[in-house]
Amino acid sequence: MSGPGNRPGRDDSPDRLYTVTGGRSRSGADSPFDLVTLVVAECDPVPGMQSEHARILRMTERPTAVVEIAAELRLPVGITKILLADLLAAGRVSARHPRQEAVPDLELLEQVLVGLRNL
């Protein structure tokens, strides 16, 4: 019988998660990561790198949301954020929130509108 701790395909035993994060349970108060933060690799994996870090770098060649990374790694989001914080601190990934790109500069839009009216 399959219970919450025995989900098929998931290896989230406390021992493994403790090892993956080096015993940390939080990524830090100043962590820029939430579920929709987009992560982009700034370099390729290097030999000797933790396997989860290497997988993250390979899957983030293009902007990828934190929630997608967690799903692909089959790890809880909190654990994934810790791994991402490690990579961010090392300069191996960059992170940005999609809202930063989606909010247009209102002054620029007004100038465009004035320009269109003058045509």
Side-chain angles (χ1 to χ4, degrees):
M1 182 180 221
S2 180
N6 297 324
R7 289 173 279 189
R10 283 198 64 147
D11 181 15
D12 54 3
S13 69
D15 293 342
R16 176 173 182 265
L17 299 179
Y18 182 87
T19 303
V20 166
T21 63
R24 294 168 291 155
S25 62
R26 297 182 193 256
S27 58
D30 59 342
S31 174
F33 301 108
D34 63 17
L35 294 177
V36 296
T37 301
L38 297 174
V39 179
V40 180
E42 297 294 334
C43 66
D44 292 326
V46 295
M49 180 180 277
Q50 183 176 339
S51 63
E52 289 82 5
H53 287 158
R55 285 186 64 201
I56 290 170
L57 291 177
R58 283 192 294 274
M59 75 176 74
T60 58
E61 290 177 354
R62 295 181 183 215
T64 308
V66 170
V67 70
E68 293 177 68
I69 297 167
E72 184 67 28
L73 292 175
R74 304 187 102 165
L75 289 172
V77 173
I79 301 301
T80 303
K81 288 180 182 180
I82 293 169
L83 296 172
L84 290 169
D86 293 344
L87 291 170
L88 184 66
R92 296 182 185 274
V93 297
S94 59
R96 65 177 168 78
H97 201 278
R99 281 187 248 163
Q100 291 174 339
E101 299 290 325
V103 178
D105 179 16
L106 293 179
E107 185 176 323
L108 176 64
L109 289 177
E110 287 179 23
Q111 291 174 358
V112 169
L113 184 58
V114 168
L116 289 172
R117 285 182 184 153
N118 290 335
L119 288 176

